[in-house]
């Protein structure tokens, strides 16, 4: 679930300047931890929560990223019997 920065700061107590710093320094990756949609930064709340919990255990957080990417619709194998739609 992607949420705006104001909602992320309310849910996590991270400041707006901290959000900016984490993006700028590369701690958070565009397209993974956040996306820019029509000039607005939206944050992947689930991965940010995982990052907060595992920021000192990067291998665990990397596994969460891999799980997230594997579950994107673009990563699904089409089910030929269902007219080319991804399998559930």
């Amino acid at each position: 679930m992607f949420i705006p920065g104001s909602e992320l700061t309310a849910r996590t107590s991270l400041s707006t300047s901290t959000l900016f710093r984490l993006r700028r320094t590369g701690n958070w990756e565009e397209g993974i931890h956040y996306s820019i949609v029509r000039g607005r930064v939206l944050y992947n709340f689930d991965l940010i929560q995982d990052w907060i919990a595992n920021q000192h255990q990067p291998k665990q957080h990397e596994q969460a990223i891999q799980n997230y990417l594997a579950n994107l619709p673009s990563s699904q194998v089409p089910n030929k019997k269902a007219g080319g739609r991804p399998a559930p």
Side-chain angles (χ1 to χ4, degrees):
M1 163 175 56
F2 281 84
I3 60 173
S6 58
E7 189 173 338
L8 184 62
T9 59
R11 289 184 178 201
T12 64
S13 298
L14 295 172
S15 69
T16 335
S17 60
T18 297
L19 302 182
F20 176 77
R21 180 178 49 80
L22 289 166
R23 291 191 332 263
R24 182 178 45 94
T25 59
N27 283 292
W28 290 351
E29 299 175 55
E30 185 174 356
I32 303 290
H33 297 95
Y34 69 95
S35 290
I36 300 174
V37 179
R38 296 184 196 152
R40 187 174 180 197
V41 180
L42 299 175
Y43 296 89
N44 185 326
F45 181 66
D46 297 327
L47 280 180
I48 301 279
Q49 277 188 304
D50 186 84
W51 180 86
I52 290 168
N54 293 303
Q55 61 185 304
H56 301 295
Q57 301 169 341
K59 287 184 181 183
Q60 274 108 340
H61 183 59
E62 184 60 36
Q63 184 60 52
I65 292 171
Q66 294 309 313
N67 291 341
Y68 165 73
L69 293 173
N71 287 302
L72 289 175
S74 59
S75 297
Q76 304 306 304
V77 176
N79 181 347
K80 292 183 181 184
K81 290 183 180 178
R85 294 188 187 128

